[in-house]
């Protein structure tokens, strides 16, 4: 059974800082790993999807890496902005079907 | 490209009442998912459709929850009767393919926030 853990549960940083969010998973035989952003009261916005054959993906100020051997993925946010404040969730499919197993998320606050 | 649409956005009901949620996926997406997200937790899959067939409903409380996707496009999730513990956000998602190995990416709607009193 795939279990996904995210640490820390909450993080507060001043504007302009670079930061790293962590995601750990127990089953290294993953097919892909997806990072989402969730604003309060809103649905999930897909940020990045890393295939199992890839080591990282980049989109703007975001960079996600995947290390299957250690069961870890990181989301790097460069030059953080107050608009980045949200909850960030990672998720991985459980088995060949595409049912996602989610972590509990990291709540990020970027202060002025 | 229009995103995943859901309605209503908010619903407040009393326990033992019934409620229904509607979802319209992204055009052309064969796979549709319903997730339940309880406050402070990650979403949990309730049911997955591939076109109009059910792929996975192992975590759907079938004594009170039902879902259908009759024409393989939009979908309805129903709860009857509702319990206090059903208070959550119900998220609908869709993807082009239904297999994780194909590099499937799921796109989510805004969700329906249900409060059961």
């Amino acid at each position: 059974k795939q279990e996904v853990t995210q640490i820390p549960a909450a993080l507060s940083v001043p504007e302009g800082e670079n930061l790293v969010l962590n995601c750990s998973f127990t089953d290294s035989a993953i097919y892909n790993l997806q990072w989402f952003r969730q604003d309060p009261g809103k649905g999930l916005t897909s940020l990045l999807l890393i295939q199992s054959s890839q080591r990282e993906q980049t989109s703007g100020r975001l960079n996600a890496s995947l290390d299957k051997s250690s069961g870890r993925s990181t989301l790097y946010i460069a030059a953080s902005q107050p608009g980045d404040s949200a909850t960030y969730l990672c998720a991985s499919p459980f088995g060949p079907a595409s049912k996602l197993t989610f972590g509990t998320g990291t709540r990020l606050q970027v202060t002025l | 490209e229009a995103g995943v649409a859901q309605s209503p956005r908010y619903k407040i009901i009393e326990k033992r009442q019934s409620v229904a949620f509607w979802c319209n996926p992204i055009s052309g997406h064969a796979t549709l998912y319903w997730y339940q997200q309880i406050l402070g937790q990650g979403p949990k899959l309730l049911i997955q459709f591939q076109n109009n067939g059910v792929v996975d409903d192992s975590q759907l409380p079938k004594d009170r929850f039902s879902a259908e996707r009759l024409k393989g496009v939009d979908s309805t999730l129903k709860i009857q009767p509702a319990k206090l513990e059903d208070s959550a956000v119900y998220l609908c998602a869709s993807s082009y393919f239904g297999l994780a190995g194909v590099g499937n990416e799921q796109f989510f709607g805004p969700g329906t926030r249900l409060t059961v009193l």
Side-chain angles (χ1 to χ4, degrees), chain A residues 34 38 43 46 49 51 96 98-99, chain B residues 33 37 98 100 103-106:
Chain A
Q34 198 166 353
Q38 187 172 33
S46 178
L49 181 147
Q51 304 286 355
S98 52
K99 176 169 69 176
Chain B
Y33 315 79
Q37 185 177 24
N104 200 27
E105 184 173 6
Q106 295 187 26

Side-chain angles (χ1 to χ4, degrees), chain A residues 3-4 8-9 14-15 21 24 27 34 45 50 52 62-63 67 72 80 88-89 92 94 98 102 109-110:
Chain A
E3 294 184 4
V4 181
E15 181 180 14
L21 306 180
S24 300
D27 186 352
Q34 198 166 353
T45 300
I50 311 175
S52 61
L62 306 179
N63 176 276
D67 184 345
R72 293 180 60 185
S80 59
Y88 291 80
L89 295 141
S92 179
F94 175 47
S98 52
F102 282 84
Q109 183 174 12
V110 181

